[in-house]
Amino acid sequence: MIKIIKAKDYNEMSRKAANIISAQVIMKPDCVLGLATGSSPLGIYAQLIDWYKKGDLDFSQTKSVNLDEYRGLSHDNPQSYYYFMNENFFKHININPANTHVPNGMELNAQKACADHEAIIQELGGIDLQLLGLGNNGHIGFNEPGVAFEKETHCVHLTESTIRANSRFFEKLEDVPTQAYTMGIKSIMMAKKILIIVSGEGKSDIVKEAFFGPVIPQVPASILQMHPDVTLVADADALSKCTTLI
Ligand code: GLP
């Protein structure tokens, strides 16, 4: 059963979700956080940075693994998720950079890059809390519709719709990489707790499908209905098509 927390807007969604992450870090300072990129988590990271600066949070023992990375983008490429995480979160807090792990997009041997990432998750003892955004087509991480649920970290070809959606961060459409490394549905489902955040009217249909529709690979996020500890924090716009269901 998915726990649903309603927020009135993006800011409130971010604050509520940041509260859940901060509780995790306070309860278990050496926890393993599974982190996500995209526009959705930006407000959470800003809030956590703020609490860190006020002295309320300490990330010195915390470890992190990231969901995904574009294949072929170097660490200093502003579009890489490695760069995103440093700019928007890591460099502002006291997490040890050696304890942060984004899949290595510069490793072009896809099998090696993915096996290495999966091995890191195992070595860390698994993920305590996995943060997720929701793609417009129901993807989580870069697990696109139709991909088998049992996958671990693997290399994917991005769908046309994801390339188009993510092109807003690039100069032109052709600059968006067509492949990415992503934790698979299996790796995500192994996390002890999952926190998924969704904001905006544009995602209202997919929220309804993912959390109230059938569990099918065509809607990757629908598998979360089978996880024992999932919290969805969503704003009123994102939940606008579910009002009679919750
Ligand atoms: C990208 C990321 C996902 C993210 C999704 C939604 O494709 N790989 O991890 O959840 O986009 O992004 P946004 O939050 O910007 O809508």
Side-chain angles (χ1 to χ4, degrees), residues 5-23:
I5 298 180
K6 296 185 228 170
K8 62 175 192 296
D9 54 20
Y10 178 83
N11 286 340
E12 195 179 282
M13 174 198 80
S14 303
R15 222 172 36 251
K16 284 177 189 277
N19 261 303
I20 294 171
I21 296 176
S22 81

Side-chain angles (χ1 to χ4, degrees), residues 32-133:
V32 179
L33 296 178
L35 298 177
T37 53
S39 355
S40 305
L42 281 172
I44 297 179
Y45 295 144
Q47 180 65 78
L48 291 172
I49 291 166
D50 191 44
W51 286 333
Y52 162 71
K53 288 190 171 152
K54 287 184 174 137
D56 288 345
L57 278 176
D58 173 15
F59 294 93
S60 59
Q61 297 177 63
T62 307
K63 294 149 209 159
S64 74
V65 289
N66 258 77
L67 272 176
D68 48 12
E69 176 62 289
Y70 290 113
R71 179 170 185 240
L73 292 195
S74 63
H75 287 172
D76 56 2
N77 186 317
Q79 306 307 336
S80 74
Y81 288 166
Y82 179 95
Y83 189 94
F84 175 104
M85 289 308 301
N86 276 308
E87 284 304 303
N88 294 302
F89 194 33
F90 298 151
K91 78 175 194 192
H92 306 284
I93 58 171
N94 66 337
I95 196 165
N96 179 349
N99 287 338
T100 67
H101 309 277
V102 178
N104 185 2
M106 291 189 300
E107 172 59 74
L108 293 179
N109 178 336
Q111 226 171 348
K112 179 172 184 328
C114 297
D116 286 352
H117 195 62
E118 202 61 42
I120 288 169
I121 300 172
Q122 303 305 324
E123 276 159 31
L124 293 174
I127 296 167
D128 289 296
L129 176 64
Q130 176 67 55
L131 174 64
L132 295 174

